[in-house]
Amino acid sequence: MRESGEYLFTSESVSEGHPDKVADRISDTVLDAFLAADPYARVACETLVTTNRIVLAGETRGPDTVTPDYLAHLARMAVHDIGYDQPGFSWKNAEVFCHLHAQSADIAKGVDAGGNKDEGAGDQGIMFGYACRETPELMPAPLFYAHLILRRISEMRRNRDKMVEGLQPDAKSQVTLRYVDGKPVGATSIVVSTQHDEGMEQAEIKRLLWPIVESSLPDGWMPTEREFYVNPTGQFVIGGPDGDCGLTGRKIIVDTYGGAAPHGGGAFSGKDPTKVDRSAAYGCRYLAKNVVAAGLAEKCTLQISYAIGVSHPLSVYVDLHGTGHGVDETRLETVLRDLMDLSPRGIREHLRLNRPIYAVTSAYGHFGREPDEEKGTFTWERTDLVPALKAALGR
């Protein structure tokens, strides 16, 4: 985003009940099941959800104890937790089809460690990480607040708060912020579309959502009533997978930085940490966040590239967007490679990724979340590399 002048920038989020996010949740639930049984299991699970139907497909390598029947049960439990028990999509009645099969021997040969060969990347590709000072979480503000609005509505729905009675799991938000000289100063428009019970009026839903949205934003940021759009089509009764087919990996911009930073194109959900689409993107976020947290820059974009079967990254690129505080970007690239082993094995071990920690990442973004040391989730959000970074750069 520009560093000068005045402009508008928009990001969107979707709830855990959005069809694509239902698919992501199921795929990550399958991944967690395999990693709980074997930390070194290999999983690439794709999920399709539609009217009362769930289809699992992809490749796995893990214990025989993780059976198709068990995975079908877990898929139903994921749908139950999201809150779907509707005629067109119910955790009780949906058919579940499991078409997972063994991982390709050709892929396994390139990825597995053996002899003098270290564990290789699970695919070629480019991965990006980003951090900025727009929020305390070092995330772009439009996406952060779009997520926050939906998370609060979801929490209230799950707690059976009468304030949101009648709202259903499927929802989307969109936040447009006005920037002045690179800093967000307020919202010019907000869109919230939420599935609801038959008979609820658009004006009623708008009235109950107003205080939730307003309290999610900084003081004075709420737009005018005219620029607060709720269910613009007027009605949103048919929703979730019954209203629209959902697929794993179709919300990669929602999952990352809301369009404020580049994206390599690879999705996250359903992939074990040998897949650098996921693990290296987490590593990039971890490094970029620590650079900004260390006070070395106001913004940082980091790119890493890999070749399938090769352990070391082919390139590491850092862009501080002209906001660096006396830091040479080329020097920083070298320092970051010295401080963290960026091989798939190195990232996995540094961030402790071989654990069943992924279902919680499947909605409301993989970044900008609070790390939980007890549960071991969101380790890539820690800023524990700051002292070493400062020391390496003589700060």
Side-chain angles (χ1 to χ4, degrees), residues 284-332:
C284 286
R285 163 64 179 175
Y286 173 71
L287 294 177
K289 185 175 184 180
N290 275 270
V291 166
V292 175
L296 304 178
E298 300 300 301
K299 289 183 183 180
C300 177
T301 297
L302 191 139
Q303 184 209 61
I304 304 178
S305 69
Y306 292 89
I308 187 168
V310 179
S311 62
H312 62 273
L314 305 186
S315 65
V316 175
Y317 167 77
V318 173
D319 183 0
L320 301 180
H321 304 274
T323 69
H325 301 303
V327 181
D328 178 75
E329 288 158 328
T330 303
R331 168 66 176 148
L332 187 55

Side-chain angles (χ1 to χ4, degrees), residues 223-246:
T224 65
E225 190 274 339
R226 185 176 179 179
E227 294 299 325
F228 179 42
Y229 302 91
V230 173
N231 290 357
T233 63
Q235 180 174 288
F236 186 3
V237 174
I238 301 171
D242 187 31
D244 190 12
C245 179

Side-chain angles (χ1 to χ4, degrees), residues 20-88:
D20 295 330
K21 282 291 141 196
V22 175
D24 283 345
R25 169 66 179 275
I26 294 171
S27 291
D28 274 334
T29 298
V30 168
L31 170 61
D32 282 351
F34 275 96
L35 291 179
D38 177 1
Y40 299 98
R42 299 287 167 78
V43 180
C45 176
E46 310 289 346
T47 302
L48 177 148
V49 290
T50 186
T51 302
N52 272 331
R53 183 163 293 193
I54 300 167
V55 181
L56 308 179
E59 304 79 46
T60 65
R61 190 174 77 199
D64 293 337
T65 53
V66 186
T67 65
D69 285 346
Y70 179 53
L71 295 177
H73 167 73
L74 292 179
R76 291 185 189 281
M77 291 302 97
V79 172
H80 178 270
D81 183 66
I82 292 168
Y84 277 115
D85 189 11
Q86 301 170 0

Side-chain angles (χ1 to χ4, degrees), residues 44-367:
C45 176
E46 310 289 346
T47 302
L48 177 148
V49 290
T50 186
T51 302
N52 272 331
R53 183 163 293 193
I54 300 167
V55 181
L56 308 179
E59 304 79 46
T60 65
R61 190 174 77 199
D64 293 337
T65 53
V66 186
T67 65
D69 285 346
Y70 179 53
L71 295 177
H73 167 73
L74 292 179
R76 291 185 189 281
M77 291 302 97
V79 172
H80 178 270
D81 183 66
I82 292 168
Y84 277 115
D85 189 11
Q86 301 170 0
F89 193 69
S90 170
W91 68 275
K92 299 174 186 173
N93 304 323
E95 295 181 277
V96 183
F97 302 87
C98 185
H99 298 292
L100 294 165
H101 60 81
Q103 183 187 47
S104 160
D106 289 343
I107 293 176
K109 181 179 179 181
V111 175
D112 290 349
N116 294 323
K117 176 184 175 298
D118 196 4
E119 181 181 297
D123 201 352
Q124 71 176 49
I126 55 175
M127 295 82 209
F128 288 90
Y130 180 72
C132 64
R133 289 207 170 274
E134 293 181 15
T135 64
E137 293 76 11
L138 305 184
M139 285 291 288
L143 180 67
F144 177 82
Y145 292 114
H147 283 325
L148 184 58
I149 289 166
L150 293 185
R151 288 185 71 182
R152 288 192 170 175
I153 294 171
S154 173
E155 288 166 3
M156 294 173 74
R157 179 178 61 82
R158 287 170 172 274
N159 292 331
R160 302 185 183 279
D161 192 311
K162 289 190 175 296
M163 190 174 178
V164 296
E165 190 173 3
L167 299 190
Q168 295 296 325
D170 194 0
K172 300 179 76 171
S173 65
Q174 185 171 287
V175 173
T176 300
L177 298 186
R178 182 168 68 93
Y179 282 74
V180 176
D181 294 333
K183 299 184 184 303
V185 298
T188 60
S189 66
I190 291 176
V191 183
V192 180
S193 295
T194 178
Q195 185 186 13
H196 58 86
D197 288 350
E198 185 82 52
M200 292 186 75
E201 297 292 334
Q202 182 185 31
E204 174 191 2
I205 298 170
K206 185 172 184 177
R207 174 187 56 77
L208 66 87
L209 288 181
W210 177 279
I212 300 172
V213 173
E214 185 176 35
S215 65
S216 300
L217 301 172
D219 289 343
W221 278 33
M222 189 69 179
T224 65
E225 190 274 339
R226 185 176 179 179
E227 294 299 325
F228 179 42
Y229 302 91
V230 173
N231 290 357
T233 63
Q235 180 174 288
F236 186 3
V237 174
I238 301 171
D242 187 31
D244 190 12
C245 179
L247 294 170
T248 299
R250 260 198 331 201
K251 286 291 176 286
I252 58 176
I253 297 302
V254 170
D255 285 343
T256 52
Y257 306 104
H263 194 294
F268 300 158
S269 290
K271 296 178 181 178
D272 74 77
T274 67
K275 280 72 172 175
V276 284
D277 278 341
R278 182 170 219 158
S279 56
Y282 289 175
C284 286
R285 163 64 179 175
Y286 173 71
L287 294 177
K289 185 175 184 180
N290 275 270
V291 166
V292 175
L296 304 178
E298 300 300 301
K299 289 183 183 180
C300 177
T301 297
L302 191 139
Q303 184 209 61
I304 304 178
S305 69
Y306 292 89
I308 187 168
V310 179
S311 62
H312 62 273
L314 305 186
S315 65
V316 175
Y317 167 77
V318 173
D319 183 0
L320 301 180
H321 304 274
T323 69
H325 301 303
V327 181
D328 178 75
E329 288 158 328
T330 303
R331 168 66 176 148
L332 187 55
E333 290 162 1
T334 300
V335 166
L336 292 176
R337 295 185 79 149
D338 290 342
L339 292 180
M340 184 177 180
D341 178 356
L342 294 175
S343 69
R345 182 197 299 275
I347 294 172
R348 184 190 72 220
E349 293 179 350
H350 191 107
L351 299 179
R352 295 178 291 140
L353 298 179
N354 272 86
R355 294 173 298 159
I357 57 173
Y358 295 103
V360 71
T361 70
S362 61
Y364 310 115
H366 293 245
F367 308 129

